[in-house]
Amino acid sequence: MNLENISCQKSAGGWHKRYRHRSTVLGCDMVFAVYLPPQAEQGGKLPVLYWLSGLTCTDENFMQKAGAHKLAAELGMIIVAPDTSPRGADVPDDPDKAWDFGQGAGFYLNATQEPWARHYRMYDYVVQELPALIEANFPVSDKRGISGHSMGGHGALVCALRNPGRYQSLSAFAPISNPSNCPWGEKAFSRYLGDERSRWREWDACALLAEATEKLPILVDQGDRDDFLENQLKPDALKAAAQAAGHQLTLRLQPGYDHSYYFIASFIDDHLRHHAKALLS
């Protein structure tokens, strides 16, 4: 699979690079970003953290705004940030151009309904196709962590909970914790998956926690001034599901913080260290 390097910047002693490639799974060209710490040029393989961004975001938001490169360089951790959905003239979009559905809002699932099923398979892309590409072209080990924000936090939880053994660490910022029961999730799931709600459970972290055979410790940060806290994100539902399943969840409600990347930048070091504890052991 050919990679086209479209940008490259030195950062914290390492390199932030963006690549374009043709995705077989999604049927379109995709862009992803990778941060390679200085240790990547010294031989050997390094652990990798996959970061999934939220609604309307691209690969650029995290790499430019989170301030993660400095500690990742100290830890010797590669970070990979894919886009949030398939894109292109041939990829169907919301006919009303709504920001919370369609291009920019793939929800990290495999759509089953037309016209979305051909392209909207972000779950397969994140879990299988992209890691295979990364492992073939960059010095990464088989130690993988996954994290994300908002819709990407939902994606991180779902990818890890559905794939025991594939990831060694898991965290999220302000995840859409119970998408089957919030407006964003109900809109996306009904269109991507159909109206049968029983099919939604396999893409809902609260439902998956009840059936998880692997109990990775989960770190979640949530701002208490987040405009989406009660209506969309529902961290209390995640907490209740984790408690019922006996799953270790550290849920931190951070006073004064909202849904922005100021919030993420304030606590990203804690999350990198959480992942490093598992990935560098």
Side-chain angles (χ1 to χ4, degrees):
M1 195 179 296
N2 292 327
L3 287 180
E4 177 191 358
N5 181 216
I6 56 178
S7 69
C8 181
Q9 294 87 26
K10 189 83 169 180
S11 179
W15 293 95
H16 166 249
K17 300 183 179 184
R18 299 182 73 221
Y19 291 89
R20 180 182 292 112
H21 72 103
R22 184 71 181 178
S23 168
T24 302
V25 166
L26 302 177
C28 64
D29 288 345
M30 289 294 287
V31 172
F32 68 87
V34 57
Y35 177 68
L36 299 167
Q39 297 89 333
E41 297 179 344
Q42 299 171 5
K45 294 187 176 183
L46 303 177
V48 57
L49 175 65
Y50 289 90
W51 173 270
L52 307 183
S53 292
L55 290 164
T56 75
C57 293
T58 68
D59 64 283
E60 295 185 280
N61 296 75
F62 178 81
M63 291 299 195
Q64 293 183 5
K65 297 180 179 180
H69 291 178
K70 184 175 181 181
L71 184 55
E74 294 176 12
L75 295 170
M77 182 184 297
I78 292 173
I79 302 176
V80 173
D83 201 350
T84 52
S85 75
R87 298 184 194 267
D90 296 331
V91 176
D93 199 1
D94 188 287
D96 299 321
K97 302 299 180 183
W99 61 272
D100 59 353
F101 184 78
Q103 293 189 31
F107 270 84
Y108 303 103
L109 49 72
N110 287 340
T112 59
Q113 304 299 301
E114 296 300 335
W116 321 106
R118 169 67 185 89
H119 296 282
Y120 285 80
R121 304 185 64 81
M122 284 298 295
Y123 171 79
D124 280 353
Y125 178 73
V126 167
V127 174
Q128 300 293 338
E129 186 179 33
L130 180 61
L133 184 64
I134 297 298
E135 289 162 16
N137 289 277
F138 300 96
V140 298
S141 70
D142 60 358
K143 297 287 189 179
R144 308 179 195 93
I146 192 165
S147 185
H149 172 230
S150 194
M151 179 185 70
H154 142 75
L157 292 168
V158 166
C159 289
L161 290 169
R162 285 172 57 106
N163 291 279
R166 184 158 187 80
Y167 303 96
Q168 284 70 55
S169 58
L170 171 62
S171 77
F173 285 83
I176 303 173
S177 298
N178 191 197
S180 297
N181 293 297
C182 77
W184 281 342
E186 290 174 341
K187 177 179 180 178
F189 283 13
S190 62
R191 296 184 182 186
Y192 289 140
L193 303 172
D195 292 329
E196 180 51 61
R197 283 179 171 261
S198 62
R199 298 175 183 172
W200 298 5
R201 291 179 54 83
E202 61 185 298
W203 307 105
D204 189 306
C206 288
L208 292 171
L209 278 168
E211 305 163 0
T213 58
E214 178 184 56
K215 299 187 184 299
L216 289 178
I218 306 172
L219 172 62
V220 171
D221 273 308
Q222 170 66 61
D224 74 352
R225 292 185 63 193
D226 191 319
D227 290 340
F228 308 113
L229 176 60
E230 299 299 332
N231 194 38
Q232 302 284 9
L233 305 178
K234 301 185 181 294
D236 287 343
L238 186 69
K239 181 178 180 180
Q243 288 177 338
H247 202 118
Q248 183 181 339
L249 168 68
T250 301
L251 174 60
R252 308 191 304 186
L253 194 63
Q254 302 291 1
Y257 287 91
D258 59 15
H259 200 68
S260 72
Y261 264 83
Y262 296 109
F263 162 55
I264 294 171
S266 297
F267 299 101
I268 189 62
D269 283 4
D270 291 350
H271 284 247
L272 292 181
R273 291 190 176 98
H274 167 80
H275 289 278
K277 185 177 180 181
L279 299 178
L280 298 173
S281 62

